[in-house]
Amino acid sequence: MKTQKTKEGKVELRVPVEKTYQAAVFYNPEARLTRDISVAALQVFQKQFKDKLSVLDALSATGVRGLRYAKEVKNLGNITLNDKNPLAFNLIRKNIKLNKPKKCLATKKDANLLMRENVFGFIDLDPFGPPVQFLDSAARSVYHKGFLAVTATDLTALCGAFPDACFRKYGLRSKKTDYYDELGMRILISAIIRTMAIYERAFIPVLSFSSKHYFRVFGKIEHSGNIKSLLKEFKYVEDVGLLYLGKIQDKKFCKEVLREVKKRKFDKSEIKLLETIIDEVDTPFYFDLHKIAKKHKIELRKIDGVIQKLKKKGFKASRTHFCSTGIKTNVEENGLLRVLRR
Ligand SMILES: C[S@@+](CC[C@H](N)C(=O)[O-])C[C@H]1O[C@@H](n2cnc3c(N)ncnc32)[C@H](O)[C@@H]1O
């Protein structure tokens, strides 16, 4: 496999010369946003954890994520970079040599086996497609006060194009709605919470975002005593099933992540994403202004003006990172329509 040198964050890397989806080992430079935010989020969690945190980059490909954790996050313990693909494993070893991080180990195991045999403080699951086939092992492996990050890229299933595939994988049926992105995210989070609960772990979502072609969720693992209050947040949603409608962001945690992102001078788009998340009203789902205006044949208004009007009337209202034309508010559809018609 032909490789070339590149740089991301504080890490130098050899990556395949071929384009992302043609290469024998996966590397997508465009996924830098999620890796930057992951570095910042892990630093925030590490500070709260206080002790040295052992890390597993379970599906590592070139090793970029794990290496960035090693070089950019302070006070971590051992960091394991794992990939079952032998070409990826060899590249990870080369990239470890190139960067000389402390306490980094490359392994070539099936991620499920590796997690069944070891305990880690932080597990990062960044698979192709759905993460569900790794969740049971992660639940057994993650430290009972640890941290878990999960990516899902099977958005066609999660966002309503393939409801049966979604049901098969996540136990809930997706559907086409105006707020399909957040519905998909909540289906993913519901599956994580339920799987962790089987193993007496409470998964508390602290930062969740949708970007381009993937969802990313970070959650703290807490004492099983917290499972009951998490399960209370599952409500029946028509055609979908029992869905988690509780908080998907911990605003205090998100603000600290934003501080880390700014301190590290990461990209402006990451600052904008986090600021939008921090401002979002904590209520499930949103109205897509364009769709609602079209449906009710109402003149299209500027989104910021509508938000101001709703606030003046005493309602909560904000933009949402899920949709550039979306509004999160605690007013019902009829109330919103009255504001739009005036
Ligand atoms: C999307 S890529 C990971 C990308 C990487 N985390 C990054 O940020 O660039 C998924 C990787 O998982 C590996 N993989 C898939 N199934 C696996 C399994 N059961 N055990 C270990 N590795 C696996 C693939 O070889 C592939 O390299």
Side-chain angles (χ1 to χ4, degrees), residues 198-209:
I198 295 172
Y199 301 93
E200 304 293 334
R201 270 140 173 73
F203 176 84
I204 316 286
V206 290
L207 170 60
S208 318
F209 65 87

Side-chain angles (χ1 to χ4, degrees), residues 154-163 166 174-177 179-185 187 210 215:
D154 57 334
L155 301 198
T156 47
L158 282 165
C159 295
F162 299 111
C166 187
S174 56
K175 63 174 177 181
K176 286 186 180 157
T177 59
Y179 48 84
Y180 63 89
D181 232 22
E182 186 174 339
L183 177 62
M185 173 69 87
I187 289 174
S210 150
F215 290 157

